[in-house]
Amino acid sequence: MDPSIRKIAFTLNGQKVSAQVESHINLVDLLRRFNLDGARESCGQGLCGCCTVLVDGVAVSGCLTLAQLVDGKSLTTVEGLDASGALSVVQQAFIDEGAFQCGFCTPGFVLMTHQLLETNADPDEHEIRDYLAGNLCRCAAYPEIIRAVKTAGDRMRAIST
Amino acid sequence: MRNFDIVHPSSWAEALGLLSGGDEGTRAFSGGTALMLMMKSGFYAPTRLIHLGALEARCSFIEATADGGLLIGAAATLSSVEASPVVQRSAPVIAQAMKKLANVRVRNVARVGGALAHGDPHMDLPPILAALGGEVLLCGPDGERTCPVESFYTGYLETRLSQGELITGVRLPPQAGWRSAYVKCTTRAADDWPTVGVAVSLRVVSGAIADARIMVGAATERLTRLTSAEAALRLGAPDAATFARAADAAAQEAVTVDSASGSAGYKTELLRVYVRRTLAEALLNGAVQ
């Protein structure tokens, strides 16, 4: 067998799955094979955040991650956030604040917001801007995105207290 | 991208053995953020990547040394450096610089060893570590050795890393009494690669500059120490006039290069401004305790 092809097993949004993957394909390509298109390759250089995936709970750029290297890991994509049937607090906040227009970048912003609020429950505007600096929204919904992050943070703190 | 093999050594010895063949198509691979860009653009087509994942756990340490210095393992992610209380205390300039280095996702996977090994002069970490007097720790077929960060780079993407060698970490001397800063200028977008990056470290004793290190990255072909600018500071008062003299010396000394982000002449003028600003910031930052 071609040694550049390898069978990997990993957890995808809570489900144990496996795949035969070529060495050169990246994480976004891999997710397409599972019919998940929330992570999108846009800039292809790790700059825009559209391909954000959580690997073992840590946000990475799917476009810069070799698919074979997620063997044994646990992946969360935007599709995993409402697996229970209800939108996540962050997703609902993005809708309520109108924090998108075309929606192409939104999965990345939503996942990064989850990650931010996990480490910093009440970020100020400066911290939000710093954290999301690596996510680009070409519709420029930035003011609404910042409001959505604050709203999501407020609601999450209200739930946890 | 063409297909290649990914090999997963489970020990340093195995990794070093795999790298010792002298094959240009074989590369150590860890966070991969830099190599992936080279591979995607077709600039580099590997035949075999040596993935260091299994070695990461034992090489991710960030610890204070007995003499008050700092030891950072090659596999420490930039995020872990940013969040480290030890780094924030003993070399705060590093933690501060991380906030404006690439973005959260890149910092989550990019590692200190890779940031040193890549050899692109636009990287932020090498000038900072050099200004702090850091040494690269290397391990190879002939054993271990060290190399000062400031002399680790021999050209664009070229380093003193020998065939079959791996970076195991970086060691910093005690920073107590030193004031440091890193300031970069990006000419196109805020999150772009720097057009010029200046790192300085200085020690003020009895109202005079006793010692200084000034490193420039991005504007020059490789990381460069600006010794005549340092000489212009020595024994001067830490004030605007002294800083301006050092900035002029830096502009005279540095061999800047043309690129898409600016002409050599433009970068020389940027350097003059940024050396002055970085020195002023270092003074404001105060001395490490």
Side-chain angles (χ1 to χ4, degrees):
Chain A
M1 199 184 102
D2 183 344
S4 66
I5 300 174
R6 192 161 167 242
K7 186 180 180 187
I8 59 168
F10 55 101
T11 304
L12 180 55
N13 294 328
Q15 306 276 322
K16 295 222 175 293
V17 295
S18 63
Q20 292 277 350
V21 288
E22 302 89 332
S23 59
H24 72 277
I25 75 158
N26 68 38
L27 185 46
V28 183
D29 300 328
L30 177 66
L31 293 171
R32 285 292 179 284
R33 296 188 185 176
F34 289 89
N35 293 319
L36 297 179
D37 51 17
R40 296 91 191 244
E41 179 153 347
S42 184
C43 75
Q45 301 176 48
L47 302 172
C48 74
C50 291
C51 64
T52 300
V53 177
L54 306 186
V55 177
D56 286 344
V58 176
V60 308
S61 290
C63 76
L64 295 184
T65 306
L66 288 172
Q68 283 190 4
L69 300 183
V70 304
D71 188 26
K73 307 216 184 268
S74 177
L75 312 186
T76 304
T77 68
V78 72
E79 290 90 345
L81 295 179
D82 63 343
S84 68
L87 292 175
S88 74
V89 171
V90 174
Q91 287 173 308
Q92 191 60 54
F94 269 65
I95 292 170
D96 295 344
E97 297 293 354
F100 49 83
Q101 288 181 48
C102 80
F104 191 85
C105 67
T106 311
F109 271 101
V110 166
L111 285 168
M112 289 302 287
T113 302
H114 271 277
Q115 181 115 110
L116 167 62
L117 295 176
E118 221 169 78
T119 49
N120 182 352
D122 189 14
D124 62 30
E125 176 156 346
H126 182 75
E127 289 168 325
I128 296 169
R129 283 169 176 266
D130 246 13
Y131 202 88
L132 297 180
N135 286 67
L136 302 182
C137 169
R138 287 312 187 204
C139 306
Y142 296 112
E144 292 81 3
I145 290 169
I146 289 165
R147 278 212 301 275
V149 177
K150 287 182 179 162
T151 298
D154 291 346
R155 291 177 183 172
M156 281 173 142
R157 289 196 310 283
I159 294 165
S160 64
T161 51
Chain B
M1 256 195 273
R2 285 206 307 260
N3 266 334
F4 42 83
D5 295 347
I6 305 178
V7 194
H8 302 266
S10 56
S11 68
W12 278 107
E14 191 186 349
L16 291 172
L18 288 163
L19 288 164
S20 65
D23 172 16
E24 284 286 314
T26 298
R27 276 274 169 173
F29 188 96
S30 190
T33 48
L35 264 184
M36 279 295 278
L37 293 180
M38 295 171 95
M39 287 154 58
K40 288 181 113 178
S41 65
F43 185 78
Y44 181 64
T47 50
R48 190 157 71 154
L49 294 179
I50 313 301
H51 183 238
L52 303 177
L55 310 179
E56 282 162 4
R58 78 190 80 156
C59 215
S60 301
F61 51 84
I62 300 173
E63 56 195 37
T65 56
D67 64 357
L70 190 62
L71 197 59
I72 306 177
T77 62
L78 302 187
S79 289
S80 71
V81 170
E82 179 181 355
S84 160
V86 181
V87 174
Q88 287 165 5
R89 190 173 56 243
S90 58
V93 61
I94 301 177
Q96 281 155 16
M98 289 302 111
K99 299 201 181 302
K100 291 198 186 317
L101 189 158
N103 57 51
V104 173
R105 289 176 309 280
V106 168
R107 297 198 294 272
N108 280 346
V109 295
R111 290 161 204 274
V112 170
L116 284 165
H118 187 42
D120 186 323
H122 298 87
M123 313 215 31
D124 297 303
L125 207 47
I128 299 168
L129 295 174
L132 299 179
E135 283 183 308
V136 186
L137 310 178
L138 301 151
C139 181
D142 303 325
E144 297 179 11
R145 68 179 179 109
T146 63
C147 176
V149 179
E150 67 166 81
S151 52
F152 191 59
Y153 301 97
T154 54
Y156 187 75
L157 301 180
E158 291 177 356
T159 71
R160 293 196 192 279
L161 193 68
S162 305
Q163 192 70 53
E165 258 185 334
L166 277 171
I167 294 174
T168 58
V170 62
R171 184 169 55 212
L172 297 180
Q175 299 298 314
W178 288 85
R179 300 158 184 263
S180 303
Y182 175 70
V183 183
K184 63 177 164 181
C185 172
T186 59
T187 50
R188 293 180 296 197
D191 60 348
D192 193 11
W193 289 99
T195 299
V196 57
V198 178
V200 308
S201 213
L202 51 97
R203 217 159 46 88
V204 180
V205 178
S206 312
I209 298 170
D211 220 338
R213 294 191 210 99
I214 305 180
M215 305 297 309
V216 58
T220 47
E221 190 189 49
R222 61 185 167 87
L223 177 66
T224 306
R225 184 168 180 176
L226 300 174
T227 50
S228 64
E230 293 172 3
L233 288 176
R234 216 155 275 134
L235 302 179
D239 59 22
T242 307
F243 292 168
R245 275 200 302 279
D248 288 339
Q252 186 123 44
E253 177 179 11
V255 182
T256 56
V257 292
D258 293 321
S259 77
S261 67
S263 67
Y266 174 57
K267 289 179 192 176
T268 296
E269 289 313 307
L270 281 180
L271 181 65
R272 194 190 309 276
V273 172
Y274 276 81
V275 165
R276 198 157 38 74
R277 287 185 186 169
T278 314
L279 286 165
E281 189 169 317
L283 193 65
L284 271 178
N285 281 345
V288 171
Q289 299 296 308

